[in-house]
Amino acid sequence: MKKHRMKRSILLMIALVLVLAPLSLGTRPSHASAQQESQALSEGRAGTSETGDGAASVRITKDFEDGTLQGWFGRGGNEILTVSPLAAHTGSYGMQVTGRTQGWNGPQLDVTPIMETGKTYRLSAWVKLPAGTPGSPVSMVIQRTTGGTNAYEVVKSVQAGDSGWVKLSGEYTLQQPIESLAVYFESFDHPTLDFYVDDVVIERAPDPVPIEIQKDIPSLKDVFAGQFKLGTALLVNEIENPNGPDAELVRKHFNSLTAGNELKWDATEPAEGQFNFTAADKIVNFAMDNGIAMRGHTLVWHSQTPKWVFYDSSGNLASKELLYARMKKHIDTVVGRYKGKIYAWDVVNEVIEPGDKKPGGLRNSLWYQIAGEEFIEKAFIYAHEADPDAKLFINDYNTNDPVKRQFLHDLIKRLKDKGIPVDGVGHQTHIGIEYPRVQELDDMIQAFRDLNIDQQVTELDMSIYTNDADAYETFPTELQIKQANRYKEIFDVFRKHSDQLSAVIFWGKDDLNTWLRTFPVVRNNWPLLFDERLQAKYAYWALVDPAKVPVETKRIKALGGSVKIDGQAEAAWNVAQAVPIQAGGKAAATYKTLWDAGHLYVWVDVDDATVNGNDAVEVYIDENNGKTNAYEADDKKYTFRRSGANPHKRAEYKAVKTEKGYRIEASIPVDGAQTGKEIGFDVRIRDRSGSAEELASWNDIHHRQDADTSGYGVLTMVEGPRTAKAVKGTAVIDGEIDDIWNKAEQIVTDRWVSGSSGSTAKVRTLWDDNRLYVLAEVTDSLVTKRSANAWEQDSVEIFIDQNNARTGSYDGDDGQYRVNFDNETSVNPGSLGANLTSAAKRTPTGYIIEAAVDWVGTPPKAGSLIGFDVQVNNDENDDGTRDSVAIWNDTSDRTWQNLTNIGLLTLE
């Protein structure tokens, strides 16, 4: 049975854990690093030989077949390492690991003698868990000691189980001189986990071809000259060799530089009064030497600030006066040192957290607990005094979220009204390949225009994943193209707002040097414009020359439904998803689709205030989805003019004038329309003004649809979602079925996501101006929460898509709310946790869940349609494994991350 965890929005999480790894310490080509102590490598099988090119090869195998540990020992000293037949992957013996008490405990092997600086090594091993042990992650890690400091990097993590052996394999490049180096195995989140290890192999990889950057391609800083600075963040190791390819790439493409870690408090003043600027100086000097504007990150933050800052000598929370004295000394010293060299500072970072429920949406950090909002004012005042010419920013993540954004906007306004020297707002913009929608980024920048401040995008990257479970060994081509087109659409928005944006800064220059290779899980990720070998990706070319990027094949679903072609918004259209057609940083149009036997219905709203009778919507159909380079008999083009002229009458349509432009509603004949049918499909907007003409296409952005169907998207005809009604009313959340519930419509979770029988629920809903109310009466013969995983406990999950955007990943208004039979809750994303109020009550036939979920941002009104679903999780036999999932509408098993198939709830 497939098991999945509640996922948080990638975008929300990435900023929350900058404390852990704001940038990886990656180096050329791809890898990891870990821990060691001295042990001889003579045991087991090891050898060196000369390769054809004269390079010495190294291969060490630890198979334990001689009945010894072959040099392995316990890292913590408490582990029990045993050579045992139970641990044999091949042969007769393997290594059994027991007695662990800490997450970092495990077997370790010193590899100092066999690894050479600058060389890459391949590491592999097989792991398994003892019988009866629940699946758990096991990691292979390298510990490197350089200059007396330990660095730890994960080579590979896998989910191990008791039913079969799993291979751990990865590469590690030793880039810096070492005092010692070791490889070890751990299960950090499972400190008492026992496991088996066998057939460990370490071998040197062939020397890679030397990296050279592409010198003959356009420089990004030149492409965006006159619009905004184009910057990157980096770590000091990336420019240790000022003549190396990494430094060369920075010089060629970027004119703003941010230190990823080296200017943070823990790096510059780890102990009170003991400042260390060695690493920071190297980066600042590199920027100065190469004429690159230097940006400072960050002065005051709840994370990566040493504990001593917040406590007095007695171990109590520091007084406000002591905290301010320490803050001023730190800012005076750090900002003063680089006065005239750093053009902008992130003075305070991530001070907004609505989930903490503090006044003004402020984060309940130790800064706040000691000093309240005033600490923010003091930070800006001190920074301005230290360098009056530096631009001072307040920086935060998820500023695309309307609720968080408004709190930040209001905070800046309060500060400016008091005369606090806030010069700008920084939008971190850690985004995913699906979320947020481009329009949200447009709204994000627009929302701060009225404050008359500078704006910067400060930490841009784009994860290729939509969840924490997926992982790719190589970057799929279709995702490369998708990422490129998304970057283009986003930069179109940035260009549109170039009067507001003074800089757009990437959080890393290349795909090897990204924190997203270790967060939120260890896996490959490719979030930036240059690959691991510093070569330009499609994402780069999408910004420089989009014609070099292949056409992405987008996919949409047309819901079943019939309408009258009159240009009026019948109820059926409210169910359909609105799909944007982007052009020039804005939505040129949105379209919806429905289908029935013999017809495809298309509704297009065009944003075009300049009337021209030759303006038109063009719809392209490839009925057999052949994707050919020339038209076939089944391929059709339909032109729907703004004027309403329909000389050929190939399809019925109606053109209607709207406030922002015009609308087309059309019925297109389609043979064999049925559930599951796929057709090639595209929509193009033709905007004419005099002799000028602009085109905007949904899928084929190269506009070759008139003769070539290979660039069409794919439309799939699907069954429409279930619908229900929520009547207006306010419930008391106490687990009792009050009379008010008698007027609510009842729905049933009678579709199976997994299993074919088990617990189900009868569900009713109410709503008012503040929240949605849900009552679930669950039939469950045995209630249990034996599993430690919340999603495997007997529970009810509520899914809400408040704006019914039906997106492929969670937007800011979307939430997953889980309540088990003991009224224990979990929410995705966690920032919405305070929005849930619930009660649970046991019954003779199961249990009742009564819940209220606060609306996010502006509440919906009567007549609104929201996305809604509800499911019941069931562990049938109390073994800690979920045996069935019953849901009202969406059986995709992806509702926890994808809301395109969610049901619909009308608020009456």
Side-chain angles (χ1 to χ4, degrees):
M1 178 194 317
K2 183 172 183 178
K3 303 175 185 176
H4 61 251
R5 294 170 289 165
M6 176 170 289
K7 307 295 179 183
R8 300 178 64 191
S9 160
I10 289 176
L11 275 256
L12 177 63
M13 292 186 295
I14 50 187
L16 290 177
V17 295
L18 288 174
V19 59
L20 298 178
L23 286 169
S24 78
L25 291 172
T27 49
R28 318 256 70 82
S30 80
H31 10 325
S33 111
Q35 142 169 314
Q36 317 6 114
E37 297 173 10
S38 272
Q39 280 275 331
L41 287 169
S42 58
E43 301 94 336
R45 295 194 297 274
T48 62
S49 64
E50 288 292 318
T51 61
D53 59 5
S57 66
V58 174
R59 179 181 173 89
I60 295 173
T61 300
K62 300 293 183 180
D63 57 12
F64 311 102
E65 290 305 300
D66 62 358
T68 75
L69 291 173
Q70 299 179 346
W72 293 89
F73 61 95
R75 300 187 71 221
N78 50 285
E79 303 92 338
I80 301 172
L81 308 184
T82 309
V83 177
S84 169
L86 295 174
H89 168 245
T90 60
S92 301
Y93 298 104
M95 179 169 55
Q96 179 175 336
V97 182
T98 61
R100 299 173 64 249
T101 60
Q102 301 286 334
W104 53 269
N105 287 171
Q108 177 171 301
L109 179 72
D110 178 38
V111 292
T112 307
I114 64 112
M115 288 197 176
E116 181 182 350
T117 302
K119 302 303 180 183
T120 298
Y121 297 84
R122 295 169 179 160
L123 298 88
S124 65
W126 292 84
V127 295
K128 184 181 177 182
L129 304 184
T133 305
S136 303
V138 176
S139 301
M140 176 165 51
V141 190
I142 294 285
Q143 177 180 311
R144 170 178 50 81
T145 304
T146 300
T149 300
N150 290 332
Y152 305 89
E153 289 183 281
V154 177
V155 178
K156 188 70 175 180
S157 289
V158 297
Q159 186 75 5
D162 63 348
S163 60
W165 288 87
V166 181
K167 187 177 184 180
L168 282 157
S169 63
E171 289 190 346
Y172 173 73
T173 297
L174 180 57
Q175 183 149 1
Q176 301 186 32
I178 57 169
E179 285 89 59
S180 64
L181 197 73
V183 61
Y184 67 93
F185 296 89
E186 68 175 17
S187 183
F188 193 81
D189 293 329
H190 299 269
T192 62
L193 181 74
D194 298 338
F195 53 86
Y196 305 139
V197 179
D198 197 10
D199 294 334
V200 182
V201 176
I202 303 173
E203 58 185 343
R204 186 167 132 197
D207 290 340
V209 176
I211 292 173
E212 294 184 5
I213 72 165
Q214 296 156 291
K215 300 177 181 179
D216 57 347
I217 63 176
S219 297
L220 287 169
K221 62 186 180 185
D222 295 337
V223 171
F224 295 99
Q227 297 179 75
F228 39 72
K229 291 183 178 69
L230 203 288
T232 184
L234 52 71
L235 298 183
V236 68
N237 67 295
E238 297 175 60
I239 47 92
E240 286 283 2
N241 178 3
N243 299 314
D246 293 86
E248 192 175 11
L249 188 81
V250 174
R251 282 193 293 268
K252 176 173 176 59
H253 289 288
F254 302 105
N255 53 13
S256 180
L257 197 59
T258 302
N261 277 329
E262 289 79 357
L263 283 167
K264 292 173 181 172
W265 199 311
D266 62 350
T268 54
E269 192 185 5
E272 187 165 12
Q274 298 179 18
F275 289 89
N276 184 348
F277 295 106
T278 303
D281 282 351
K282 289 181 180 180
I283 295 179
V284 174
N285 291 339
F286 175 84
M288 297 300 101
D289 292 344
N290 290 281
I292 302 173
M294 184 70 203
R295 197 175 186 286
H297 177 81
T298 177
L299 295 173
V300 174
W301 190 21
H302 68 276
S303 183
Q304 288 186 258
T305 300
K307 185 177 180 180
W308 64 261
V309 174
F310 304 108
Y311 293 90
D312 62 20
S313 57
S314 300
N316 301 316
L317 273 183
S319 66
K320 183 189 297 187
E321 292 73 23
L322 177 59
L323 185 70
Y324 287 164
R326 288 169 171 170
M327 178 197 290
K328 180 171 173 53
K329 180 180 179 181
H330 180 82
I331 291 176
D332 284 349
T333 304
V334 176
V335 176
R337 182 182 185 87
Y338 300 111
K339 181 178 180 180
K341 295 182 178 181
I342 289 181
Y343 79 94
W345 279 96
D346 289 330
V347 178
V348 296
N349 193 43
E350 300 177 7
V351 295
I352 300 295
E353 177 45 69
D356 286 353
K357 293 294 184 181
K358 294 299 178 182
L362 291 175
R363 181 185 296 277
N364 190 28
S365 65
L366 288 174
W367 293 105
Y368 180 84
Q369 291 174 30
I370 295 171
E373 184 175 313
E374 187 185 46
F375 85 88
I376 301 172
E377 301 174 13
K378 293 294 186 182
F380 277 97
I381 291 170
Y382 298 157
H384 183 67
E385 290 172 350
D387 187 352
D389 295 327
K391 297 297 183 183
L392 306 182
F393 283 76
I394 185 168
N395 193 51
D396 220 317
Y397 64 92
N398 282 7
T399 51
N400 59 284
D401 176 78
V403 175
K404 183 168 186 175
R405 179 172 68 227
Q406 191 61 51
F407 279 127
L408 181 59
H409 174 281
D410 294 347
L411 171 61
I412 296 172
K413 188 175 188 307
R414 290 196 302 276
L415 294 172
K416 288 182 67 66
D417 287 347
K418 291 182 178 181
I420 305 300
V422 181
D423 297 308
V425 59
H427 307 283
Q428 290 186 9
T429 324
H430 296 287
I431 61 176
I433 202 158
E434 294 282 357
Y435 172 84
R437 288 173 292 145
V438 174
Q439 185 60 50
E440 292 183 53
L441 300 178
D442 192 343
D443 295 342
M444 172 184 79
I445 301 170
Q446 183 67 32
F448 292 88
R449 278 184 174 268
D450 67 304
L451 294 177
N452 194 30
I453 58 173
D454 191 7
Q455 300 190 56
Q456 293 188 347
V457 172
T458 56
E459 303 179 22
L460 178 63
D461 51 23
M462 185 191 301
S463 172
I464 69 160
Y465 299 103
T466 60
N467 60 68
D468 297 351
D470 294 340
Y472 298 105
E473 289 300 318
T474 58
F475 193 6
T477 301
E478 63 271 20
L479 289 181
Q480 295 181 40
I481 298 168
K482 183 180 183 69
Q483 181 190 63
N485 288 331
R486 181 158 162 78
Y487 262 127
K488 179 186 182 303
E489 290 181 348
I490 289 168
F491 267 81
D492 282 346
V493 169
F494 295 162
R495 285 183 165 113
K496 171 184 169 183
H497 292 288
S498 60
D499 64 320
Q500 290 290 299
L501 291 173
S502 62
V504 174
I505 298 158
F506 285 91
W507 201 242
K509 71 185 192 309
D510 67 90
D511 286 340
L512 182 60
N513 290 282
T514 171
W515 69 304
L516 293 178
R517 293 214 163 186
T518 56
F519 175 81
V521 295
V522 176
R523 60 186 173 187
N524 292 325
N525 211 328
W526 298 269
L528 300 163
L529 303 188
F530 297 92
D531 68 14
E532 298 96 326
R533 292 184 58 81
L534 307 182
Q535 303 304 292
K537 297 160 52 182
Y538 283 141
Y540 163 90
W541 288 111
L543 307 186
V544 174
D545 184 0
K548 295 184 181 295
V549 181
V551 174
E552 173 190 358
T553 301
K554 298 179 182 178
R555 293 180 174 270
I556 60 161
K557 296 175 182 177
L559 304 178
S562 300
V563 292
K564 179 182 179 182
I565 304 302
D566 56 8
Q568 302 303 309
E570 298 176 51
W573 284 120
N574 295 333
V575 175
Q577 179 185 5
V579 181
I581 300 173
Q582 296 289 139
K586 65 182 183 69
T590 59
Y591 75 87
K592 301 179 180 182
T593 55
L594 297 169
W595 70 277
D596 64 18
H599 304 91
L600 177 69
Y601 301 102
V602 181
W603 173 289
V604 187
D605 275 309
V606 182
D607 190 351
D608 180 8
T610 305
V611 178
N612 186 301
N614 290 317
D615 291 342
V617 171
E618 297 167 334
V619 176
Y620 297 86
I621 303 291
D622 175 9
E623 285 202 22
N624 67 6
N625 195 28
K627 298 202 173 302
T628 55
N629 294 324
Y631 266 36
E632 298 177 334
D634 65 296
D635 303 329
K636 302 289 191 303
K637 173 186 176 181
Y638 297 89
T639 301
F640 305 115
R641 294 179 174 83
R642 182 175 194 159
S643 65
N646 191 14
H648 303 297
K649 300 189 185 308
R650 297 176 59 204
E652 180 185 4
Y653 80 97
K654 181 74 173 180
V656 177
K657 181 181 178 180
T658 64
E659 182 179 347
K660 293 184 177 181
Y662 67 101
R663 172 183 305 141
I664 297 294
E665 185 179 30
S667 173
I668 299 172
V670 175
D671 293 335
Q674 59 182 348
T675 300
K677 181 178 177 65
E678 290 187 345
I679 63 173
F681 180 78
D682 209 348
V683 180
R684 186 168 73 182
I685 309 301
R686 187 178 294 272
D687 179 12
R688 293 183 176 176
S689 180
S691 59
E693 180 178 76
E694 292 184 2
L695 300 177
S697 295
W698 169 60
N699 198 83
D700 187 352
I701 60 174
H702 302 317
H703 313 305
R704 300 166 182 158
Q705 299 98 324
D706 289 330
D708 183 346
T709 69
S710 64
Y712 291 8
V714 176
L715 179 148
T716 305
M717 299 176 184
V718 299
E719 181 183 3
R722 283 178 164 178
T723 61
K725 298 175 182 178
V727 297
K728 196 162 189 179
T730 300
V732 177
I733 304 303
D734 56 7
E736 301 292 336
I737 304 177
D738 302 323
D739 290 344
I740 195 168
W741 285 111
N742 294 335
K743 66 177 184 178
E745 178 183 347
Q746 180 175 282
I747 59 177
V748 181
T749 62
D750 56 1
R751 292 181 173 178
W752 298 100
V753 176
S754 62
S756 57
S757 64
S759 298
T760 60
K762 297 177 181 177
V763 180
R764 287 177 270 184
T765 57
L766 298 167
W767 74 284
D768 62 22
D769 294 336
N770 299 308
R771 53 191 62 88
L772 178 71
Y773 302 91
V774 179
L775 175 71
E777 299 174 73
V778 181
T779 301
D780 191 341
S781 59
L782 173 66
V783 293
T784 175
K785 56 178 183 179
R786 180 170 298 278
S787 174
N789 300 322
W791 66 93
E792 294 192 298
Q793 299 171 3
D794 288 356
S795 57
V796 171
E797 295 186 23
I798 301 164
F799 303 93
I800 299 176
D801 177 7
Q802 186 173 313
N803 64 5
N804 193 33
R806 311 182 75 79
T807 52
S809 59
Y810 275 34
D811 284 343
D813 65 292
D814 302 332
Q816 174 189 13
Y817 304 88
R818 182 187 295 114
V819 186
N820 74 7
F821 63 89
D822 262 350
N823 200 33
E824 296 167 333
T825 63
S826 47
V827 177
N828 166 37
S831 60
L832 297 181
N835 288 25
L836 173 64
T837 304
S838 64
K841 180 182 178 182
R842 303 282 186 94
T843 67
T845 57
Y847 58 97
I848 290 173
I849 298 295
E850 190 174 28
V853 179
D854 294 351
W855 298 123
V856 176
T858 303
K861 301 182 182 301
S864 296
L865 202 65
I866 69 169
F868 176 80
D869 223 328
V870 58
Q871 77 176 36
V872 178
N873 302 313
N874 176 46
D875 176 1
E876 185 69 23
N877 53 7
D878 194 27
D879 65 352
T881 299
R882 186 173 59 183
D883 298 299
S884 68
V885 177
I887 200 165
W888 174 53
N889 186 76
D890 179 16
T891 60
S892 69
D893 197 23
R894 309 296 283 180
T895 323
W896 50 273
Q897 69 174 60
N898 184 324
L899 298 175
T900 57
N901 299 312
I902 200 169
L904 292 165
L905 195 63
T906 301
L907 307 184
E908 291 200 328

